[in-house]
Amino acid sequence: MADLINFESISELMNRKYLYFFAMVLLLPPSICGSCYGAEQSDGAALEQEITLQQALEYVLQRNRTLEHGRLQVQSSSLSVNTQQAEFDIKVLPEGTLAYSSTTDENWRVGASLQKKTKVGLVASVTPEISSYGESDHTGVGVSLRVPLFRGLGEDFAMNNVYSSRYAMENTRLDLYRQQDSIVLQTVN
């Protein structure tokens, strides 16, 4: 994410004499670099560390908690989009029953349902199965098509959750970019 900002144009704007003050006082807190805050060497001389503006900006962009939270929000939004799009994937749902009673023979049924939802809201499914009732075995295939007549048919209705998730993800991404710009400008000023 740090590559979103053009460091060369920013570094041209900055005067190098302010960079040392910025890096030592504002950027590196004592918990990260205790020797940078006027700490002294064993002989009493103050330690100095000089970094470039590009290094300072990379440091801020990588370690800022607000930006880290924004990056996590973008990942969360991306997962939400994937979850909403998964509704339109092919699903395999295994099915099975086993029954036994003292008056009848053992009954069992095994099958799987393959379902696919289309972008207009239709749900098609194919269900092959094998069953046994008493002494006889049976095989079969069921085919069904669900058409949502009363709750809305059409791409706008069926894809609404996907579109909403994509919009939320793009908003989150734009918020992250705005936060990066704001933090870079605060850092340079």
Side-chain angles (χ1 to χ4, degrees):
M1 292 288 172
D3 59 340
L4 298 175
I5 307 299
N6 184 358
F7 293 114
E8 292 174 9
S9 64
I10 293 173
S11 63
E12 291 171 4
L13 299 174
M14 265 312 279
N15 187 342
R16 295 247 181 220
K17 68 181 180 180
Y18 296 111
L19 181 61
Y20 175 75
F21 173 77
F22 166 74
M24 295 299 116
V25 176
L26 300 176
L27 184 62
L28 300 174
S31 62
I32 295 173
C33 182
S35 63
C36 296
Y37 261 99
E40 297 182 359
Q41 293 178 349
S42 59
D43 63 357
L47 291 176
E48 292 184 7
Q49 182 179 4
E50 188 173 319
I51 62 172
T52 65
L53 179 61
Q54 183 174 351
Q55 290 171 331
L57 290 174
E58 286 176 0
Y59 179 86
V60 168
L61 290 174
Q62 289 174 358
R63 290 175 177 81
N64 185 283
R65 289 182 183 162
T66 304
L67 293 179
E68 185 60 31
H69 178 73
R71 286 188 283 270
L72 291 174
Q73 290 295 101
V74 169
Q75 286 179 352
S76 175
S77 296
S78 177
L79 291 174
S80 178
V81 169
N82 291 343
T83 300
Q84 296 302 327
Q85 288 175 336
E87 184 179 347
F88 299 96
D89 291 343
I90 295 175
K91 295 177 180 62
V92 178
L93 307 168
E95 301 174 355
T97 59
L98 177 63
Y100 180 79
S101 104
S102 61
T103 59
T104 62
D105 291 333
E106 183 177 291
N107 300 326
W108 56 270
R109 183 180 70 82
V110 176
S113 177
L114 293 131
Q115 293 182 352
K116 170 75 172 144
K117 184 174 182 178
T118 64
K119 291 182 178 184
V120 295
L122 301 173
V123 179
S125 65
V126 177
T127 310
E129 67 178 26
I130 301 171
S131 59
S132 173
Y133 298 104
E135 297 279 325
S136 62
D137 294 335
H138 303 280
T139 60
V141 175
V143 178
S144 69
L145 181 65
R146 284 188 282 160
V147 180
L149 295 176
F150 297 113
R151 52 185 181 100
L153 177 66
E155 186 172 343
D156 291 338
F157 185 81
M159 297 289 289
N160 185 42
N161 291 338
V162 174
Y163 296 152
S164 297
S165 295
R166 286 180 185 165
Y167 178 78
M169 182 179 70
E170 289 304 317
N171 269 344
T172 306
R173 211 176 261 158
L174 288 173
D175 285 342
L176 176 62
Y177 294 150
R178 275 189 231 118
Q179 289 171 350
Q180 283 179 333
D181 287 345
S182 174
I183 288 173
V184 166
L185 290 175
Q186 287 174 1
T187 303
V188 171
N189 287 335

